[in-house]
Amino acid sequence: MPSADQNDLLFDRARAVIPGGVNSPVRAFKAVGGTPRFIRRAEGAYFWDADDRRYIDYIGSWGPMILGHGHPAVVEAVQKAVLEGFSYGAPTEREIELAEAILALVPSMEMVRLVSSGTEAAMSALRLARGATGRKHIIKFEGCYHGHADALLVKAGSGLATFGHPTSAGVPPEVTQHTLVLEYNNIAQLEEAFALHGNDIAGLMIEAIAGNMNFVRATPEFARRCRELCTQHGALLIFDEVMTGFRVGLHGAQGVLGIRPDLTVLGKVIGGGMPLAAFGGPRAIMEQLAPLGPVYQAGTLSGNPVATACGLATLKEIAKPGFYEALAAKTRALVDGLKAAAAAEGQPFSADSEGGMFGFFLMDELPQNYATVMTTDGAKFNTLFHGLLARGVYIAPALYEAGFVSAAHSDADIAATIEAARQVFQAA
Ligand SMILES: *Cc1c(COP(=O)(O)O)cnc(C)c1O
């Protein structure tokens, strides 16, 4: 008699006590169907589910695990920190070390504050931008995700450059009425928004390489125009680099694009898998924060000693010479191999990568905005997802998510992934 699938059993148990059985919605496999895999352990480029099936991991906890799972230097740092105490609610030297390490690598930041999640960092950066400028309006772009703060859970209203509508129940329209939602890479619309509202805009928040609508780059012209218009109108340019920071390169998307934002939001990699995020910028703006200034912001676990140990050890590894060159080459090899496999089987396919982050689309050309991303054939993506999963390759269970390669992925892992994809393309 075949034994019951442990993932099914755990999913049933989970659904009885946790809404949808998960603590973050995309984990539920709702978009692709099927039972989510409950992970029991991870090592290097792999994790194992409740049935002890091994997967090559291309989500890496949605970005943080850039060194792979269980890097010895990181494990050692965390073990040492745990023995010294979990949390004090008083300052530590390690917070200074991490702040110094971040500032040394992100020259646009002169000061930084540590928090516990990307959501919290983005929300705090927004409050700071409003507090520092004394203005209300903010600009965000359709398809960019900045965490789940109320004012950022918003989609475009009708017509060009109008204020947005909430995308979640529980967010009153009054809370999003100051959020302008624009189309990504649409320069004309951006210019119109600034022409209409420029003097009331506190900040423009953007993923300069967007990873929450799969993988879409801001064009250099678009990114430059964002910078120019913010400067011209006294609005703050806020790069949300929670995903791209220390992921697309040692200096983030701002390093790739050669653009200096006013505020930067970080998360994911800087915690190395622990709850840790940050936001920062010029001294004069950051000193508007409590306890120095009038913008309130706080956190019981902010700068947590175990999380900072994990983040510091991770940053130390990725700052080593050649790290990103090797990671980028590996990621490019994956993307090129997938493209070739799709081409060989006559499947429409396009793909892109930067550093250890990649995206692919089941269409001939790379999309420039969210509306085009959403024209992807969902059923076809689901076939690919489940085909790969059955072959031991775990990619994001939704077509609007980016993928992540770690330093632990071997050439053999990449080759096995490409071969799995070729088989799925061939069967399609
Ligand atoms: C993941 C992410 C966030 C939210 O971070 P959490 O730690 O999940 O709250 C914000 N912005 C971007 C760009 C992200 O990718």
Side-chain angles (χ1 to χ4, degrees):
M1 228 179 75
S3 61
D5 186 309
Q6 293 300 311
N7 297 292
D8 286 326
L9 294 177
L10 289 175
F11 196 33
D12 284 342
R13 243 177 88 196
R15 276 183 296 189
V17 289
I18 300 169
V22 292
N23 283 313
S24 197
V26 74
R27 298 178 195 169
F29 278 24
K30 200 173 167 194
V32 293
T35 306
R37 301 303 188 260
F38 283 71
I39 307 306
R40 199 164 264 168
R41 67 194 168 92
E43 192 185 321
Y46 315 116
F47 54 41
W48 285 262
D49 73 6
D51 279 322
D52 220 28
R53 271 191 298 258
R54 193 193 84 169
Y55 301 91
I56 305 175
D57 174 16
Y58 288 104
I59 61 166
S61 184
W62 301 92
M65 309 314 299
I66 195 163
L67 300 174
H69 298 281
H71 187 285
V74 180
V75 170
E76 193 191 328
V78 169
Q79 283 175 332
K80 187 162 171 286
V82 163
L83 295 176
E84 293 166 354
F86 292 2
S87 186
Y88 317 121
T92 62
E93 183 175 4
R94 207 173 290 134
E95 292 163 85
I96 312 171
E97 287 173 359
L98 182 58
E100 287 169 348
I102 292 170
L103 300 185
L105 294 170
V106 188
S108 67
M109 296 163 77
E110 290 172 357
M111 296 187 103
V112 61
R113 177 151 286 172
L114 303 179
V115 297
S116 298
S117 77
T119 291
E120 198 187 347
M123 179 189 81
S124 303
L126 191 60
R127 182 179 306 140
L128 177 59
R130 283 171 159 163
T133 60
R135 298 173 177 184
K136 287 185 200 166
H137 295 346
I138 51 165
I139 289 178
K140 91 170 274 285
F141 297 95
E142 197 98 76
C144 288
Y145 177 67
H146 305 296
H148 61 93
D150 284 354
L152 294 165
L153 287 182
V154 53
K155 63 172 187 268
S158 54
L160 285 184
T162 56
F163 291 89
H165 299 306
T167 53
S168 167
V171 178
E174 289 80 3
V175 177
T176 58
Q177 69 180 347
H178 301 293
T179 310
L180 269 160
V181 185
L182 306 179
E183 187 176 66
Y184 202 72
N185 279 328
N186 185 332
I187 291 177
Q189 213 185 78
L190 180 73
E191 289 175 341
E192 186 187 337
F194 271 97
L196 285 172
H197 306 289
N199 295 337
D200 298 315
I201 295 171
L204 177 158
M205 191 176 275
I206 185 168
E207 287 181 80
I209 298 174
N212 286 286
M213 49 174 155
N214 201 320
F215 183 105
V216 180
R217 292 172 190 270
T219 64
E221 307 76 54
F222 182 71
R224 207 175 322 119
R225 206 68 191 112
C226 287
R227 177 64 279 177
E228 286 167 1
L229 286 165
C230 283
T231 303
Q232 201 177 313
H233 292 270
L236 300 184
L237 178 63
I238 309 167
F239 271 18
D240 181 349
E241 300 230 38
V242 171
M243 187 181 286
T244 52
F246 305 109
R247 169 50 76 176
V248 297
L250 193 52
H251 312 293
Q254 53 196 274
V256 172
L257 280 155
I259 286 185
R260 194 183 175 91
D262 298 302
L263 295 178
T264 298
V265 186
L266 295 166
K268 298 194 168 111
V269 169
I270 63 164
M274 289 276 184
L276 201 155
F279 63 102
R283 181 174 305 277
I285 297 177
M286 292 303 286
E287 289 189 339
Q288 298 294 310
L289 286 170
L292 295 178
V295 180
Y296 191 68
Q297 192 280 328
T300 301
L301 297 176
S302 292
N304 175 270
V306 183
T308 47
C310 188
L312 256 178
T314 301
L315 290 194
K316 212 168 277 172
E317 293 302 314
I318 65 181
K320 288 181 176 168
F323 179 86
Y324 284 95
E325 287 77 0
L327 184 65
K330 210 177 307 192
T331 310
R332 253 194 315 270
L334 172 68
V335 158
D336 289 345
L338 292 173
K339 276 197 238 180
E345 303 301 335
Q347 298 290 334
F349 193 86
S350 57
D352 196 3
S353 71
E354 188 70 48
M357 176 172 159
F358 69 92
F360 64 79
F361 300 92
L362 304 176
M363 52 178 82
D364 289 319
E365 281 183 32
L366 291 171
Q368 296 286 303
N369 59 47
Y370 182 68
T372 314
V373 171
M374 292 325 265
T375 63
T376 304
D377 183 337
K380 227 169 156 175
F381 175 81
N382 294 351
T383 302
L384 178 61
F385 171 80
H386 282 293
L388 289 175
L389 195 67
R391 289 166 178 79
V393 176
Y394 194 109
I395 62 167
L399 61 84
Y400 46 83
E401 304 289 350
F404 305 98
V405 174
S406 80
H409 286 73
S410 67
D411 293 344
D413 294 327
I414 303 287
T417 303
I418 294 165
E419 172 54 21
R422 196 196 57 75
Q423 290 175 13
V424 181
F425 288 137
Q426 190 177 43

